[in-house]
């Protein structure tokens, strides 16, 4: 393909191998690798939008994406609106003639809402806007947004694709040639590229993606079922539970329900703190998608940069706890949560 590698920002063989791999996983034509998920997202906004354009995004976005949109990209004359609810029908009203992009995460973070990708694509296309899906939470093993009508898929490869919490990276997959050329130009011009070693680490992670995801999903299902019967827990958010409001939609557009669970403890910040202080196998940490189980408190950690009222109005309250279920023995995970809940 690339006849020669002239300069490593423009292209290098290991990055090209990763770019082909992520494109193949998402069943898209073109892949692009970046130095982080945020570099991928930054490059998409810079290359595809201009002053006056509007982006409609779901409200419970990854905190860093929202920070980038509201504190940096808005300074360049691009405006952002956040749609409440998970049904694209409900955010039709927020579309404007200037809307050029609809930005969706599904499952969302940290509330694990499911957005109907086909519906969102149709709605975006009716307005001549592009549908971007951040597929980090599902991974291409569980969900392929391009097949459902999305124009662009973005990943933080730091999470499930890398899978071992030992790298930071991002990726974009696009099938349309002209769109790809624009983003590829910006990838080189802006330079948010990964080094070859990080690309190699993601490639190595991808080799075990299928077996890791199978285990993440089966472990998470069991943990979610356990938590949903616990008397100290108010509500468990996991798309694999029949009680999840979009369980059927999740079943349709995903092949399984992923490794992320959120739940509301009965009590507030101090209650959560007591639980988080006593876990032994789960590590208190912000990331997700690695083989080791992690636990965190969104309102004081991953989503702390969002103003309190804004956060609470959408359900990210002080009672909310998020777990990234790893691939350890599930009985060990359940008993760890069980003993930590005794301290609540
Ligand atoms: C982590 C994450 C990002 C940002 O990726 P980095 O690799 O940390 O820059 C974007 N979107 C989602 C859904 C994420 O979980």
């Amino acid at each position: 393909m690339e006849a020669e590698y002239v300069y490593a920002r423009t292209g290098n063989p290991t990055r090209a191998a990763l770019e082909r791999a992520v494109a193949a996983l998402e069943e898209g034509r073109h892949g692009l690798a970046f130095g982080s998920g945020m570099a991928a997202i930054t490059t998409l906004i810079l290359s595809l939008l201009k002053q006056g354009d509007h982006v409609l995004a779901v409200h419970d976005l990854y905190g860093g994406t929202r920070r980038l949109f509201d504190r940096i990209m808005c300074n360049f004359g691009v405006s952002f609106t956040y749609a409440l609810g998970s049904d694209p029908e409900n955010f039709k009203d927020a579309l404007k003639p200037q809307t050029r992009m609809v930005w969706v995460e599904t499952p969302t973070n940290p509330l694990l809402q499911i957005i109907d990708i086909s519906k969102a694509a149709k709605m975006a296309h009716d307005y001549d806007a592009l549908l971007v899906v951040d597929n980090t939470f599902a991974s291409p093993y569980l969900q392929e947004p391009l097949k459902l009508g999305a124009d662009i898929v973005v990943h933080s490869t730091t999470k499930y694709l890398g899978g071992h919490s030992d790298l930071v990276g991002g990726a974009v997959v696009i099938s349309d040639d002209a769109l790809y050329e624009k983003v590829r130009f910006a990838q080189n011009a802006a330079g948010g590229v990964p080094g070859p070693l990080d690309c190699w680490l993601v490639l190595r992670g991808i080799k075990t993606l299928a077996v890791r995801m199978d285990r993440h999903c089966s472990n998470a299902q069991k943990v979610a079922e356990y938590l949903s019967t616990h008397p100290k827990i108010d509500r468990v958010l996991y798309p694999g539970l029949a009680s999840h409001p979009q369980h059927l939609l999740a079943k349709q557009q995903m092949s399984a329900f992923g490794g992320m669970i959120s739940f509301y403890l009965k009590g507030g910040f101090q209650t959560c703190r007591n639980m988080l202080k006593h876990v032994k196998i789960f590590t208190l940490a912000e990331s997700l998608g690695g083989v080791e189980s992690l636990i965190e408190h969104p309102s004081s950690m991953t989503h702390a940069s969002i103003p309190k009222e804004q956060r609470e109005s959408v359900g990210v309250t002080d009672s909310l706890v998020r777990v990234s279920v790893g691939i350890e023995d599930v009985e060990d995970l359940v008993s760890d949560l069980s003993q930590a809940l005794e301290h609540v």
Side-chain angles (χ1 to χ4, degrees), residues 36-38 41 62 65 105 109 134 136-137 156 158-159 168-169 288:
S36 67
M38 293 321 303
I41 294 169
Y62 174 71
T65 304
E105 280 176 24
N109 173 30
D134 182 333
T136 300
F137 267 40
S156 167
T158 313
K159 317 292 168 52
V168 173
L288 63 105

Side-chain angles (χ1 to χ4, degrees), residues 222-255:
K222 287 182 191 137
V223 170
E225 283 167 8
Y226 163 73
L227 292 172
S228 62
T229 61
H230 201 286
K232 290 177 182 170
I233 290 173
D234 227 3
R235 199 150 71 90
V236 180
L237 311 174
Y238 182 66
L241 293 176
S243 62
H244 188 286
Q246 293 109 28
H247 176 61
L248 292 180
L249 173 59
K251 243 178 159 163
Q252 270 170 32
Q253 74 179 17
M254 303 173 76
S255 61

Side-chain angles (χ1 to χ4, degrees), residues 56-320:
L56 174 61
V58 293
H59 69 84
D60 54 337
L61 279 183
Y62 174 71
T65 304
R66 182 120 184 196
R67 178 175 58 194
L68 173 75
F69 289 174
D70 289 350
R71 302 200 27 205
I72 296 182
M73 291 304 174
C74 63
N75 297 330
F76 294 85
V78 177
S79 62
F80 298 85
T81 305
Y82 301 94
L84 282 168
S86 56
D87 187 350
E89 275 306 316
N90 297 341
F91 39 88
K92 256 191 175 136
D93 293 346
L95 285 164
K96 303 177 183 184
Q98 312 88 284
T99 307
R100 294 279 67 89
M101 199 177 258
V102 174
W103 193 283
V104 162
E105 280 176 24
T106 178
T108 63
N109 173 30
L111 299 174
L112 285 315
Q113 299 199 74
I114 306 294
I115 315 281
D116 188 325
I117 296 173
S118 309
K119 243 192 202 176
K122 185 169 180 317
M123 185 191 76
H125 296 157
D126 284 347
Y127 273 73
D128 258 338
L130 298 167
L131 177 67
V132 182
V133 176
D134 182 333
N135 204 26
T136 300
F137 267 40
S139 91
Y141 185 66
L142 303 182
Q143 174 172 280
E144 292 169 311
L146 296 178
K147 277 190 175 167
L148 298 169
D151 301 286
I152 297 173
V153 171
V154 57
H155 278 283
S156 167
T157 58
T158 313
K159 317 292 168 52
Y160 289 106
L161 288 171
H164 296 75
S165 312
D166 56 4
L167 66 97
V168 173
V172 165
V173 181
I174 301 176
S175 283
D176 182 83
D177 294 337
L179 210 53
Y180 162 72
E181 286 306 333
K182 280 189 186 172
V183 183
R184 162 119 183 89
F185 179 82
Q187 179 198 36
N188 179 50
V193 294
L197 179 62
D198 283 338
C199 293
W200 177 80
L201 282 169
V202 182
L203 279 166
R204 192 201 52 175
I206 286 173
K207 291 179 199 199
T208 56
L209 180 69
V211 285
R212 284 186 287 110
M213 291 315 295
D214 284 341
R215 181 67 169 252
H216 283 298
C217 294
S218 67
N219 278 2
Q221 184 73 35
K222 287 182 191 137
V223 170
E225 283 167 8
Y226 163 73
L227 292 172
S228 62
T229 61
H230 201 286
K232 290 177 182 170
I233 290 173
D234 227 3
R235 199 150 71 90
V236 180
L237 311 174
Y238 182 66
L241 293 176
S243 62
H244 188 286
Q246 293 109 28
H247 176 61
L248 292 180
L249 173 59
K251 243 178 159 163
Q252 270 170 32
Q253 74 179 17
M254 303 173 76
S255 61
F257 306 105
M260 300 300 297
I261 303 172
S262 292
F263 58 92
Y264 293 98
L265 269 176
K266 291 179 181 163
F269 179 70
Q270 200 51 48
T271 313
C272 295
R273 213 182 120 100
N274 287 343
M275 179 187 181
L276 299 188
K277 244 175 37 194
H278 287 96
V279 286
K280 292 180 179 143
I281 298 176
F282 284 80
T283 302
L284 180 62
E286 290 204 349
S287 193
L288 63 105
V291 292
E292 290 108 352
S293 292
L294 305 180
I295 192 161
E296 68 114 3
H297 186 241
S299 75
S300 66
M301 296 171 66
T302 46
H303 292 66
S305 63
I306 303 167
K308 190 173 164 76
E309 308 104 73
Q310 207 179 2
R311 196 168 67 214
E312 302 216 321
S313 72
V314 300
V316 184
T317 66
D318 285 348
S319 315
L320 189 72

